[in-house]
Amino acid sequence: MEQQHFLLISKDMALYGAIAAAFADEGWLLHQTTTAVEGVAKIKKHSYSGILWDFDATPLDTILATLDVMRQMMNGPIIIMGEAFKPKVRRKLFRFCLLYTSDAADEGLGV
């Protein structure tokens, strides 16, 4: 079975370490980048099973513009993680990805 590769867009090294360790337990490989532009470049060069994106790492307008490009390049899940999303922001992001808030994490649910 081919190893699955995932991409994390985040500047938070502790988050990267925690997710990378959990993914390694499953036999998955986590790649990291810190910017949306680098994320698009990585997707052009490599096939990822999914993307995890730290909402705090990038302004909303950049996320929305980049998600449109990424969605055209891949079909896998794109999960946006953040503290909380206002309803208007949720509607904008819902077109492209799954939202995951800290409240949902506490409950073990995606929003």
Side-chain angles (χ1 to χ4, degrees):
M1 180 193 245
E2 185 177 326
Q3 187 175 35
Q4 293 196 37
H5 294 253
F6 293 84
L7 178 63
L8 171 67
I9 302 172
S10 178
K11 296 175 184 169
D12 186 337
M13 292 306 293
L15 177 65
Y16 170 72
I19 295 173
F23 277 31
D25 289 345
E26 297 297 323
W28 302 338
L29 185 60
L30 184 66
H31 303 256
Q32 183 193 21
T33 186
T34 58
T35 69
V37 172
E38 289 175 2
V40 170
K42 284 186 175 258
I43 293 169
K44 286 181 180 178
K45 293 179 183 177
H46 188 80
S47 177
Y48 292 99
S49 298
I51 298 173
L52 296 95
W53 199 332
D54 180 3
F55 189 77
D56 295 331
T58 311
L60 177 60
D61 291 339
T62 302
I63 289 175
L64 293 172
T66 308
L67 279 173
D68 193 29
V69 171
M70 288 180 173
R71 186 45 72 205
Q72 293 174 32
M73 297 168 60
M74 67 169 290
N75 293 323
I78 301 174
I79 301 170
I80 304 289
M81 303 172 293
E83 288 295 319
F85 301 100
K86 295 179 181 176
K88 185 175 180 179
V89 172
R90 275 187 269 202
R91 286 190 297 276
K92 288 180 179 181
L93 291 171
F94 185 73
R95 291 183 12 206
F96 303 104
C97 58
L98 174 67
L99 306 178
Y100 200 74
T101 65
S102 58
D103 292 339
D106 293 342
E107 298 294 323
L109 306 170
V111 173

